[in-house]
Amino acid sequence: AVIGPPDVKVKSESGSLHVDFIGPFAEHEHDKWPLKQYYGSWNYRILYWKKGSNKEVTHIDTKHNSEILSQLEPWTVYCIQVQAVIPEWNKTGKLSGELCEQTTHNGVTPVWVIVTILIGSMLVVVVSVPVCFFSFLYLYRLTKHVFCPSYIFPQHLKEFLSKPPSGSQFFSPLAQEEHLFYDKLTVISEESKNHSDETGSEASKTTEHLQDSEQEDSDS
């Protein structure tokens, strides 16, 4: 009997290809039976290759109805065919239709991505820490300047401004003149003093001259 191709489904997940297959079936009127029940040994052979690589085919044999193809290149299109194999009869069935599916990222992060993320994180930390520190310091000084200024308002002005004005005169009147005590002081310059001394000496000379004249008259 001719063994037909199995039904195959392929799903790409995490850098691998999940392959599910079933059949082939024997049909009788409205009923279907898997041919696997009529043979003592039954395997499935999975053939896969990279699309456009001149069909460098790799094959895997399995007794199960599913298989995970791993160790594949990420973001690469692979094509798959499946056939039934009967080892004791050395017989193979027809190949299924060719199914092609692209693999996704394999979940392994490249080294250059890790290094880039690490360097970027370090740069962010180095820049953000000084910025946060100086921003906090500026806000602290600004808050302190607003709420706790360094200038202290004089106490007497505080008291003066805290009292409401009782009249038009805000300051106490000046002391009355009679309450002031003072002494009279006369200032004589040096030139005036010399002039007085000369005048006194001339007056004394004149007096002596008059006395001498009177003495002569009395003698005569």
Side-chain angles (χ1 to χ4, degrees), residues 55-132:
K55 283 197 172 183
E56 296 178 2
V57 181
T58 304
H59 72 274
I60 295 176
D61 290 345
T62 178
K63 294 181 179 181
H64 306 288
N65 290 93
S66 64
E67 187 68 27
I68 298 175
L69 304 180
S70 58
Q71 304 297 325
L72 303 178
E73 296 180 10
W75 310 112
T76 305
V77 178
Y78 286 86
C79 296
I80 298 171
Q81 285 183 305
V82 182
Q83 64 181 164
V85 177
I86 303 172
E88 62 181 5
W89 288 15
N90 195 21
K91 187 175 184 178
T92 58
K94 292 184 178 181
L95 289 169
S96 65
E98 184 178 308
L99 296 177
C100 297
E101 190 71 24
Q102 184 181 22
T103 58
T104 58
H105 192 265
N106 57 8
V108 179
T109 305
V111 177
W112 67 269
V113 175
I114 298 176
V115 173
T116 302
I117 294 175
L118 182 62
I119 294 176
S121 302
M122 292 176 63
L123 289 176
V124 170
V125 171
V126 170
V127 173
S128 61
V129 168
V131 170
C132 293

Side-chain angles (χ1 to χ4, degrees), residues 10 14 19 22 28 38 60 73-74 109-110 123 153 177 191 210:
V10 182
S14 300
V19 185
I22 191 171
H28 179 69
Y38 295 96
I60 295 176
E73 296 180 10
T109 305
L123 289 176
F153 204 66
E177 192 173 343
E191 294 179 356
L210 290 175

Side-chain angles (χ1 to χ4, degrees), residues 124-141:
V124 170
V125 171
V126 170
V127 173
S128 61
V129 168
V131 170
C132 293
F133 174 76
F134 286 109
S135 299
F136 176 77
L137 184 62
Y138 174 76
L139 292 176
Y140 171 76
R141 290 181 176 178

Side-chain angles (χ1 to χ4, degrees), residues 192-203:
S192 300
K193 183 178 180 182
N194 295 334
H195 182 68
S196 299
D197 292 340
E198 292 177 356
T199 305
S201 60
E202 291 178 356

Side-chain angles (χ1 to χ4, degrees), residues 17-38:
L17 296 178
H18 296 244
V19 185
D20 298 314
F21 31 84
I22 191 171
F25 297 95
E27 297 184 6
H28 179 69
E29 295 181 353
H30 300 291
D31 297 330
K32 294 173 64 175
W33 294 278
L35 288 177
K36 187 177 180 179
Q37 296 178 359
Y38 295 96

